[in-house]
Each structure stands twice: as C-alpha cells, then as structure tokens.
Amino acid sequence: MSFTAEVKDELSRVEGGPEADVSELSALVRVCGTLSFYGSGAYAVRVTTETGAVARTVIRLSHKVFELDTQLTVRRSVLHKTRNYLIEMRDQPGLEDALVELGVLVPGRGLASGVPGQVVSTPERRAAFLRGAFMAGGFIADPRGDFHLEMAVTGEALAEALVSVCRDAGVQARLNRRRGAFAIYIKSFDDIVRFLLVVGAARTARAVSNVRRMKSVKNDVNRSVNAEMANARRASGAAAEQLALIDRVEAGPGLDGLPPALRAFCDLRREYPDLPLAELGRRAYPPLSKSALYHRVLRLEALDAEWRDGGGGAGRSGEDG
C-alpha cells in the first residue's frame, strides 16, 4: 500500500457529525464524480476512484446521510493490474434534494460554481470538505523523501475555492494549472502537518513529524562528520607540510644546531606525523599550547627561507621561548 493510500485509509475511518458528513460527501462528489441529466429533472451521479477506502466512504455517507441507493462495480485494469471502483447513484427520489444540499446543484440555476458557503460554514465543515477533497484527488509524498502534498481537481472556480478553504483552516496552499486540470499543492512541512491535523490524520501527522526529526538528527550528524573530516584533512595536510619543512631544514642548516625548543618540536612531529597541532601539544613534556607549537613552525619556516636566500647561519639564532 502506498503512503497516500495509507493516509486515505486513515481518513476513511474519521467519524464526523451530520453536517460534516454532508461536506465530506460534497467534496468527494465534486472532485471525483460526474453528474448526468436525463430529460426534465432526472439526474444520475457516477463516482470513480482507484482507492477502496474512497469507494467505501462514498457509499457509507450516501446511505447514512441521504439513504440513497448506490450500485458498486469493481473493474480491474489488465494493463496496470489495479482496481477501479465505480459507484452509481441513479435517478431516485431524494437525489435532487441531496445534490442541492451537497452544493452540487443550485435551485433554479443549475450546477454550482466554486464551493457554496453553507458547505464550509464552520471549522468542522471546512475540515470535512478538505478531507473529502484529499481523499478524492489527493496525493502525499512519502516523508522519507521530499515533503509535498497536493490535490488535483477540474474547474478553476473549485480549485480557487479549495485554496481559500485551506487558508481559512490556517494552511497556506498554492494553485498550479496542469494540462487542463488544477493542482492545489502544499510544500511547507508545517503547513502539511497542519493540513493533516485539520482533516483528521493525526497518526500520519505524528509519523511525518517523526521522520522530520530523524532527518534533522541525520543532517546534524552528517554536518558534524563532514566538518570533522574536513578538519582532519586540513590537519593532515598541515602535518605533511611541517614534515617536509623539517626535511628541508635538516638538508640545509641541519637540525643539530637548532635551539632546543625547535629541535624538540621536530622530534615530536616526526614521532607523531599525523596529529594536529593541538593534540601534538598535549603529547609534549611539559604540554604546550597549539599557538606555542605554531610559533615554532613559523620559526622553522623563517630559518628555511633565510637558508634558501643564502643566510646559512640562521639556524643558530637565539632560544625560542
């Protein structure tokens, strides 16, 4: 089962009040349903979905709220090896009144545009409408990858209304046109979690939050390891340069004539060729600071430069402090 299917299965088990049930069914019919007209005043509704949880919810709410007769047909795609569910509500007493209450029909005006205010008039009804819209046309990426949630709908008025309903619920969503359809998408982690909590997917919200914490810890560890590796590479490179410097001094002015402090540094560096200066200082007796050892490196560099410039007696200069 995909992550999206898991979320929809959780949402299919959310129980709302009578008005919330109307709003949820309204969104389900508006997003993945089609309305047909027959003659004068005869209607039929067909809802198609590839998700069993969505099909169950449409049938349950149709029976519970409006006592409508429904017919379910399950078809299997040979090519994609997936099931497709068709729920039909054929012309029957009460269907037209149900469509009006669902906000699909406006008496005397035909099909509704956007989302009628009564369907999203309270926080509970807004949450239920968003829940139905996500179940009908929603997708959420596995949080172990990128954070992303979207709902695909047809009709610009409905898409813009969904963005507005999200905003009223405290969720920032954006609208994107895609090949004749519209996608309402949410990319901010905080807004995705807020949306999940609003529609009733508390378990998924906790799972997403846990994944984010794990990602944060992993990123912190990676940054720390990368920093330590970079420091180690720098220290290793510096140590190699110091060993090469000692070799040059030995081949030039020689080590025997160096002040005791410089000679001790050369011996210590050769004994521990890979240690950074700070650790090398702790191995000295008595222990020395990093800055004290760095001062000795600078003295050796000066001696080497003077020797290569022709000042052969520089190696016997005064004692290092």
Side-chain angles (χ1 to χ4, degrees), residues 134-176:
F134 179 82
M135 291 184 67
F139 165 82
I140 182 170
D142 191 316
R144 289 171 294 184
D146 293 332
F147 293 119
H148 180 78
L149 182 150
E150 68 176 45
M151 294 174 284
V153 302
T154 56
E156 188 170 6
L158 176 59
E160 291 177 345
L162 272 171
V163 172
S164 178
V165 175
C166 285
R167 183 172 56 250
D168 292 341
V171 177
Q172 294 301 314
R174 290 182 171 83
L175 182 59
N176 188 23

Side-chain angles (χ1 to χ4, degrees), residues 266-277:
C266 293
D267 293 340
L268 191 63
R269 170 48 78 197
R270 282 180 165 176
E271 184 177 359
Y272 301 103
D274 299 322
L275 293 181
L277 281 180

